[in-house]
Amino acid sequence: MSNSIDEILKQPKLSKQDLINLLQTDKIDRNKIFTHAAKIKADYVGKKVYYRGLIEMSNICSKNCYYCGIRIDNKNTERYDISDSDILDAVKFAHENKYASVVLQAGEISSPKFTKRVSNLLKEIKGISNNELGITISLGEQPDEVYQEWFDSGAHRYLLRIESSNPDLYYKIHPKNEKHDFETRLDCLRSLQKTGYQTGTGVMIGLPFQTYDDLASDLIFMKDFDIDMCGMGPYLKHIDTPLYEHKDLLMPIDDRFTLTLKMIALLRIIMKDINIAAATALQAIDPIGREKAIKVGANIIMPNVTPGMYRDSYKLYENKPCTDEEATDCTNCMEMRIGITGDDIGYGEWGDSKHFAKRTSQS
Ligand code: SAM
Ligand code: SF4
């Protein structure tokens, strides 16, 4: 790099070329990026981590994303759909343990019956928690009216990853058909923002065919889209998926891990006040992977509160962590590990996106 890393990081705006260069830094320069991002995090969102209890309510999915272990064509997965009462038990667990928010995530299902079911669940969650629990949902692409109905029923944050902001790469990791349309994905993100959700997106990092240019563009996409939250993590292979065929193109797993930390740190630098999740996939590579992400800019963690018996079937990728544990085991070990990062846990606090508050107060 012609300019020193310190000079580049001091600039008010990083260009695409800066981002490409920063993504390729070696260990010494990389640590400078991490230190800078940690300082920005402390200054803008504080040294605090907020919990979102994750409930993987069903692994039934109508889509066929090439990377995902629960895609419809994977016949080697046992499908489940957790009963409403079991979901509400998981919600109660999160509430009693002062998690303050839950995330409902599932494969993508679009039907009037499913819409109604989720609306009822959202109202129940609000009811049983006295409106104390914040709710994030991650239920894929849906019509505008459905996003609106779920918002009116109590959800106020939505996560829908763009997966890759480069349409060419998007179609290398998804079938090219109406059900997996890049423009529809973008329309959905716009619709979420318009409905009034705190809108989150993200990408997978270290995908076959992905370049540093793609990743820099992803960062710029998130900035230009003015997202409020981000959940991004390393791509991890799964033997029962078409993308597995290209496993020889993957960079070594440790490099994918480090690259993810760099993406998190750079996003924190360019979008100072958003919420950034430490993805579970990081923990599949390194037992303290999420805690490492917290040290370089992430401020959200999603402890899994899905009943243990279902976890093994929500296998998006290989080596998914904690599939043999119950929610109580997770709570204990997480508190200890977050302690190592030096951050506090925002028990009982929603920890909403400061960026969203600012964005909406200005409009
Ligand atoms: N079906 C919804 C959707 O696609 O938005 C929500 C559930 S989906 C399983 C959540 C995320 O899992 C996706 O956005 C994708 O990025 C991630 N994912 C799926 N397969 C993965 C893999 N092999 N490695 C890493 N992340 C993966
Ligand atoms: Fe279904 Fe989501 Fe997996 Fe795609 S990423 S196959 S939509 S669960």
Side-chain angles (χ1 to χ4, degrees):
M1 249 181 268
S2 50
N3 286 331
S4 84
I5 195 94
D6 302 298
E7 279 167 39
I8 294 172
L9 291 173
K10 255 190 246 151
Q11 297 175 132
K13 193 170 176 228
L14 296 174
S15 68
K16 181 164 172 191
Q17 193 54 52
D18 289 332
L19 292 169
I20 293 173
N21 293 341
L22 291 167
L23 284 168
Q24 295 178 81
T25 40
D26 62 13
K27 196 167 177 183
I28 296 174
D29 282 347
R30 176 214 304 166
N31 285 336
K32 289 185 180 170
I33 302 173
F34 292 165
T35 308
H36 189 61
K39 170 137 191 5
I40 290 181
K41 174 184 157 184
D43 289 349
Y44 284 81
V45 294
K47 278 173 71 64
K48 224 175 203 183
V49 179
Y50 300 96
Y51 279 179
R52 316 273 186 247
L54 174 65
I55 304 167
E56 296 160 335
M57 58 183 273
S58 170
N59 69 351
I60 299 170
C61 186
S62 62
K63 288 177 89 167
N64 236 335
C65 309
Y66 288 156
Y67 43 84
C68 179
I70 61 171
R71 61 199 299 272
I72 190 170
D73 278 355
N74 181 11
K75 305 295 177 216
N76 293 333
T77 285
E78 207 179 306
R79 303 289 164 171
Y80 72 82
D81 191 7
I82 307 184
S83 69
D84 288 1
S85 75
D86 280 355
I87 292 175
L88 293 173
D89 281 347
V91 165
K92 281 180 206 145
F93 172 86
H95 188 223
E96 281 158 10
N97 285 276
K98 303 221 169 332
Y99 281 14
S101 286
V102 288
V103 182
L104 293 185
Q105 192 177 72
E108 193 174 302
I109 305 162
S110 286
S111 71
K113 191 172 160 214
F114 184 69
T115 302
K116 190 104 218 80
R117 181 182 169 209
V118 172
S119 300
N120 288 338
L121 273 170
L122 294 170
K123 288 178 199 154
E124 290 257 21
I125 296 170
K126 285 291 174 187
I128 58 172
S129 72
N130 252 332
N131 205 20
E132 281 171 14
L133 278 175
I135 313 175
T136 308
I137 46 178
S138 178
L139 301 169
E141 295 170 16
Q142 302 286 345
D144 299 351
E145 317 79 76
V146 174
Y147 286 150
Q148 185 68 55
E149 180 175 324
W150 289 344
F151 185 77
D152 296 340
S153 303
H156 76 289
R157 312 184 194 104
Y158 205 108
L159 277 177
L160 181 71
R161 286 185 177 176
I162 188 73
E163 315 293 1
S164 168
S165 63
N166 173 352
D168 292 335
L169 180 55
Y170 192 88
Y171 288 120
K172 285 199 173 95
I173 62 169
H174 297 98
K176 199 165 189 171
N177 59 32
E178 230 179 52
K179 232 180 158 11
H180 301 80
D181 183 59
F182 181 75
E183 285 305 322
T184 306
R185 195 88 175 168
L186 281 179
D187 287 343
C188 283
L189 279 170
R190 290 188 198 105
S191 168
L192 289 165
Q193 221 173 34
K194 208 165 133 226
T195 308
Y197 284 98
Q198 293 180 36
T199 306
T201 194
V203 295
M204 279 175 289
I205 296 152
L207 286 160
F209 315 109
Q210 192 177 45
T211 62
Y212 289 107
D213 191 295
D214 288 330
L215 289 169
S217 299
D218 290 338
L219 290 169
I220 293 168
F221 168 83
M222 292 190 261
K223 172 99 180 148
D224 290 348
F225 203 90
D226 211 11
I227 60 163
D228 307 304
M229 326 184 290
C230 175
M232 59 182 167
Y235 161 70
L236 297 168
K237 62 186 163 53
H238 188 299
I239 194 162
D240 295 317
T241 62
L243 213 56
Y244 189 82
E245 212 181 286
H246 302 291
K247 65 179 187 316
D248 296 341
L249 297 177
L250 294 175
M251 64 173 73
I253 197 148
D254 289 349
D255 294 352
R256 244 177 292 155
F257 180 84
T258 309
L259 191 54
T260 304
L261 293 188
K262 284 184 191 166
M263 285 287 285
I264 289 173
L266 290 173
L267 186 64
R268 174 60 69 203
I269 292 169
I270 64 169
M271 296 199 80
K272 300 179 172 30
D273 55 359
I274 64 167
N275 278 349
I276 304 179
T280 311
L282 284 164
Q283 198 191 353
I285 304 180
D286 179 334
I288 54 163
R290 290 181 303 178
E291 290 72 13
K292 287 182 179 172
I294 285 166
K295 288 202 89 158
V296 304
N299 66 331
I300 301 290
I301 217 159
M302 307 199 327
N304 200 335
V305 296
T306 310
M309 61 191 284
Y310 299 109
R311 291 193 193 182
D312 206 33
S313 299
Y314 201 82
K315 276 246 168 93
L316 312 177
Y317 42 76
E318 292 169 5
N319 301 323
K320 189 159 176 261
C322 301
T323 54
D324 56 353
E325 286 176 12
E326 283 294 342
T328 26
D329 307 326
C330 284
T331 317
N332 299 339
C333 77
M334 188 120 42
E335 192 170 84
M336 196 182 72
R337 292 191 305 202
I338 292 176
I340 305 169
T341 67
D343 277 22
D344 291 328
I345 301 170
Y347 281 121
E349 295 174 57
W350 278 14
D352 275 333
S353 164
K354 289 194 177 8
H355 186 80
F356 175 81
K358 202 165 150 200
R359 176 167 76 76
T360 45
S361 71
Q362 282 164 355
S363 59

